Amino acid sequence: MAEAVESPGDPGTTTPRPLMRDLKAVGKKFMHVLYPRKSNTLLRDWDLWGPLILCVTLALMLQRGSVDSEKDGGPQFAEVFVIVWFGAVTITLNSKLLGGNISFFQSLCVLGYCILPLTMALLVCRLVLLAEPGPINFMVRLFVVIIMFAWSIVASTAFLADSQPPNRKALAVYPVFLFYFVISWMILTFTPQ
Amino acid sequence: MATPAAPAGGARNGTGPEWGGFEENIQGGGSAVIDMENMDDTSGSSFEDMGELHQRLREEEVDADAAAAEEEDGEFLGMKGFKGQLSRQVADQMWQAGKRQASRAFSLYANIDILRPYFDVEPAQVRSRLLESMIPIKMVSFPQKIAGELYGPLMLVFTLVAILLHGMKTSDTIIREGTLMGTAIGTCFGYWLGVSSFIYFLAYLCNAQITMLQMLALLGYGLFGHCIVLFVTYNVHLHALFYLFWLLVGGLSTLRMVAVLVSRTVGPTQRLLLCGTLATLHMLFLLYLHFAYHKVVEGILDTLEGPNIPPIQRVPRDIPAALPAARLPTTVLNATARAVAVTLQSH
């Protein structure tokens, strides 16, 4: 939004450019998550747009359509939101307490962006669920979710591991594993009514 | 802490050094206040930079304005100018005092450095403590050492939450007006914190040498046994297996905790009270977790019952709302008792 601020008297000329720039930045980070390499992009230019988009998508798709109170065990929108954000905050605090030199929002950014593979898994699962239910259906979904779960962990480890002291990486990675496990579990056990 | 306010004579000159003092408070001394303001961040996001620039510009403007206004007041308005200046100074002082309070409160509560020593562990230490939590030590003549760390217990509680979620999902537990996640988190954290506090209180009454942190750590590591038992028995639905594991694994971890407490307590009555309470609560909790969230598999009970028994009937569990943890166990126990009663009636 730098351009918008620098020229406040020109309302017509400033709006499209910062939006495209930010969208491009978000898109670039998505690419970095899909092909994880050891790079600093996610850490250096952190932003929380990507995590927000992913979290809202996940929460919307995990909602059950029915208002039926009988089978109310499925995650609601607010529940998914709370799980994702408080889980990310807890992991960040844990990695800071273990002696990591990563900032609060950088860690939130990385964890949020690395939900992308799991969101893709949810899309695939919803498509697969359109077919007839059965054990094969479940095996396919299980396979997809496991692959994406591993991908998320590898991606987030690639970014976060460097910020920890070398002998404590396992301690910092374990809560990440639990976090993505819970999200994968919510995705795998989701059945639309 | 924050530097003291600028002398009363200055109008808004205090704002600059005041902000500077706050910055030093964060970056100096290696303190780990949660850096919501990204002062140590090498972020390239432009909006914070512009935000800071703007703030500085605005402050400079206000400084210039205030200086200009002061001069005007002083020149033309005499008494009124003086009163205006006084009120401005009072407002300024109140603002700075409020800001000082807020920054002090923020750095106190958001300073996670307080917890840092409890997370100072190595993976090898955590592994060895996990294994030791299953091995009761017989030496009770002098106090046994308890590691005062919170990483292991916290991770074990979260693991228990994850396992509980898995169990609830596979057993299709129906929770009305609540959520599975909320129930799981409430149960596990409620047990860990609540029972630790209660046993700590009893330990205080019984003159046992144990601190709250040590109690939290001890009980937290004691949940390792629970995690193992539940992980196995939520996937392999055999009641006999569960009772075996309950006695063996649950018993071992309880014995370990009991041995530690006995070594730190003097007097047979006190030992009995403290250790009896802890053992009862620990074993009953495992029983509760299994039966409250466990899939009652139709017709899997074996030849103990005989061939003519109808399949076990499933009763949906009405676990209402986000109850306080105290009422939740009784409600679930009622529902479980009802299920057991139905089963018994069908004999």
Side-chain angles (χ1 to χ4, degrees):
Chain A
M1 313 311 173
E3 292 86 339
V5 159
E6 279 164 6
S7 53
D10 278 0
T13 58
T14 56
T15 325
R17 292 193 53 216
L19 182 63
M20 284 315 299
R21 187 197 62 194
D22 283 341
L23 278 180
K24 274 200 199 126
V26 169
K28 208 165 92 165
K29 290 196 191 74
F30 280 149
M31 284 290 112
H32 270 92
V33 169
L34 287 179
Y35 303 108
R37 296 180 291 271
K38 284 206 186 293
S39 86
N40 267 342
T41 314
L42 241 70
L43 292 179
R44 206 180 43 234
D45 300 325
W46 63 265
D47 72 79
L48 292 178
W49 287 113
L52 182 67
I53 295 171
L54 287 173
C55 185
V56 169
T57 313
L58 204 65
L60 281 176
M61 289 203 293
L62 277 177
Q63 245 191 330
R64 285 174 186 262
S66 67
V67 198
D68 188 5
S69 64
E70 289 290 324
K71 278 236 157 226
D72 212 10
Q76 301 302 308
F77 184 91
E79 191 185 0
V80 175
F81 230 85
V82 163
I83 290 174
V84 168
W85 288 101
F86 275 100
V89 165
T90 309
I91 296 175
T92 309
L93 285 180
N94 177 62
S95 77
K96 278 189 91 77
L97 285 169
L98 284 173
N101 58 358
I102 194 171
S103 114
F104 186 73
F105 286 110
Q106 284 172 342
S107 173
L108 279 187
C109 169
V110 169
L111 289 168
Y113 270 102
C114 290
I115 297 180
L116 177 67
L118 286 170
T119 312
M120 288 174 9
L122 180 58
L123 284 168
V124 171
C125 282
R126 284 215 86 160
L127 289 175
V128 168
L129 279 169
L130 290 175
E132 53 179 81
I136 302 186
N137 199 310
F138 179 72
M139 293 308 293
V140 167
R141 282 187 292 136
L142 180 67
F143 179 69
V144 168
V145 168
I146 288 182
I147 298 277
M148 292 304 187
F149 167 61
W151 198 339
S152 284
I153 294 192
V154 165
S156 61
T157 313
F159 295 115
L160 287 179
D162 285 338
S163 67
Q164 289 293 323
N167 50 342
R168 292 190 185 176
K169 287 203 207 311
L171 297 184
V173 167
Y174 180 69
V176 177
F177 168 85
L178 274 183
F179 175 62
Y180 288 130
F181 174 81
V182 169
I183 297 183
S184 315
W185 189 246
M186 284 199 296
I187 291 173
L188 186 61
T189 57
F190 171 72
T191 49
Q193 292 298 5
Chain B
M1 282 298 163
T3 55
R12 295 299 294 262
N13 303 340
T15 337
E18 205 61 22
W19 275 110
F22 188 50
E23 254 177 276
E24 280 159 17
N25 188 33
I26 287 187
Q27 288 172 352
S31 84
V33 175
I34 294 180
D35 48 353
M36 294 292 189
E37 326 213 335
N38 293 313
M39 295 207 183
D40 57 345
D41 206 338
T42 53
S43 146
S45 297
S46 63
F47 56 87
E48 291 111 21
D49 298 335
M50 285 320 294
E52 281 175 22
L53 186 62
H54 255 276
Q55 194 139 48
R56 236 171 283 138
L57 286 175
R58 227 182 296 134
E59 283 163 22
E60 283 174 72
E61 271 178 39
V62 170
D63 280 350
D65 283 342
E70 251 189 62
E71 286 174 26
E72 285 180 28
D73 280 345
E75 280 174 24
F76 294 118
L77 299 174
M79 278 299 288
K80 188 171 178 195
F82 177 66
K83 271 193 196 154
Q85 212 176 37
L86 189 63
S87 71
R88 238 200 321 276
Q89 277 174 17
V90 167
D92 198 29
Q93 292 243 322
M94 281 180 58
W95 164 252
Q96 280 168 2
K99 199 161 66 181
R100 245 200 326 274
Q101 291 272 47
S103 69
R104 205 175 294 153
F106 181 70
S107 59
L108 184 66
Y109 289 115
N111 193 355
I112 56 176
D113 267 346
I114 303 171
L115 292 176
R116 203 178 272 268
Y118 308 138
F119 282 75
D120 191 14
V121 286
E122 306 292 320
Q125 283 178 321
V126 175
R127 204 171 25 238
S128 67
R129 281 171 197 164
L130 282 176
L131 291 174
E132 278 168 12
S133 74
M134 303 298 297
I135 304 173
I137 301 184
K138 269 203 250 165
M139 189 164 31
V140 295
S141 46
F142 67 94
Q144 293 181 22
K145 192 169 161 323
I146 307 176
E149 58 135 325
L150 286 179
Y151 173 83
L154 204 61
M155 288 304 124
L156 279 170
V157 174
F158 279 124
T159 311
L160 193 62
V161 169
I163 295 176
L164 210 60
L165 266 183
H166 166 59
M168 288 200 280
K169 271 292 185 184
T170 52
S171 75
D172 290 332
T173 302
I174 299 164
I175 294 186
R176 302 230 171 95
E177 298 172 29
T179 61
L180 288 179
M181 193 73 196
T183 313
I185 290 184
T187 311
C188 297
F189 270 94
Y191 175 76
W192 184 46
L193 296 172
V195 172
S196 291
S197 315
F198 180 61
I199 301 288
Y200 176 66
F201 167 67
L202 279 185
Y204 171 74
L205 290 181
C206 300
N207 271 332
Q209 295 170 15
I210 194 165
T211 66
M212 183 65 189
L213 171 73
Q214 287 172 330
M215 193 59 227
L216 282 171
L218 189 66
L219 195 64
Y221 274 111
L223 287 175
F224 181 53
H226 283 24
C227 287
I228 297 178
V229 175
L230 291 174
F231 183 66
V232 170
T233 55
Y234 278 159
N235 295 312
V236 180
H237 301 283
L238 290 173
H239 278 279
L241 184 69
F242 167 71
Y243 286 120
L244 187 68
F245 267 67
W246 178 64
L247 278 175
L248 270 184
V249 179
L252 274 178
S253 74
T254 312
L255 272 177
R256 156 107 187 147
M257 291 198 296
V258 158
V260 170
L261 277 182
V262 162
S263 75
R264 287 169 169 260
T265 317
V266 176
T269 322
Q270 287 92 328
R271 282 177 171 179
L272 190 62
L273 174 68
L274 199 57
C275 302
T277 318
L278 180 62
T280 316
L281 286 172
H282 204 61
M283 298 296 273
L284 282 183
F285 183 60
L286 183 54
L287 217 56
Y288 161 75
L289 283 181
H290 179 81
F291 284 111
Y293 306 114
H294 165 66
K295 179 175 187 162
V296 180
V297 180
E298 274 96 341
I300 205 173
L301 282 190
D302 52 358
T303 54
L304 286 175
E305 317 286 330
N308 299 331
I309 305 303
I312 294 173
Q313 315 194 12
R314 297 196 56 201
V315 178
R317 296 174 190 89
D318 285 333
I319 304 178
L323 287 183
R327 277 173 59 204
L328 185 58
T330 49
T331 320
V332 176
L333 276 177
N334 288 341
T336 316
R338 231 181 295 139
V340 172
V342 168
T343 316
L344 288 177
Q345 269 174 9
S346 64
H347 281 14

